[in-house]
Amino acid sequence: MTGGDFEALVAVLAPDVVARSDGGAGGVGAPSAVRGAASVARQAIMFAPFAQSSRMALVDGAPAVISIRDGQRFSVMRFTIERGKVVELYVVNDPARLPELDLTVLGD
């Protein structure tokens, strides 16, 4: 989803999708949650510019996207998928937690 296509993004999200983020004490912002496909898609579109540095990955065996900045992990977005739709996104951008994740970058 590098082009920022709002309708295409909404189409892969469950209507009641929940996006959670955890910036932690050293990360960007406090833990938060956004609910609903349109709200989650609007928030996600704001991060489309970071797609250039993103790679597909697995986190604890679940599908994920990792973003790299200056050669370092910047954030990891893990997806929970049910019946072909994303029902939950969990974003970790807490610098203290990123190295602890069981992460496999795909395509390496």
Side-chain angles (χ1 to χ4, degrees):
M1 186 71 47
T2 60
D5 184 337
F6 182 81
E7 294 303 322
L9 181 54
V10 169
V12 299
L13 299 174
D16 56 349
V17 64
V18 176
R20 292 181 174 84
S21 64
D22 182 4
V28 180
S32 64
V34 176
R35 298 178 191 283
S39 296
V40 169
R42 275 192 292 277
Q43 184 175 21
I45 292 293
M46 292 187 307
F47 295 96
F50 295 107
Q52 298 295 336
S53 67
S54 296
R55 307 276 307 275
M56 298 299 294
L58 295 174
V59 174
D60 298 325
V65 173
I66 179 172
S67 294
I68 308 290
R69 184 192 295 172
D70 299 324
Q72 300 294 319
R73 294 178 188 175
F74 172 68
S75 70
V76 173
M77 185 177 348
R78 184 182 67 212
F79 302 91
T80 302
I81 300 170
E82 295 177 2
R83 296 179 299 281
K85 300 281 186 172
V86 176
V87 296
E88 182 179 38
L89 290 95
Y90 184 66
V91 180
V92 177
N93 55 3
D94 179 352
R97 290 197 52 223
L98 288 170
E100 299 171 358
L101 297 175
D102 180 12
L103 179 87
T104 302
V105 177
L106 301 176
D108 276 353

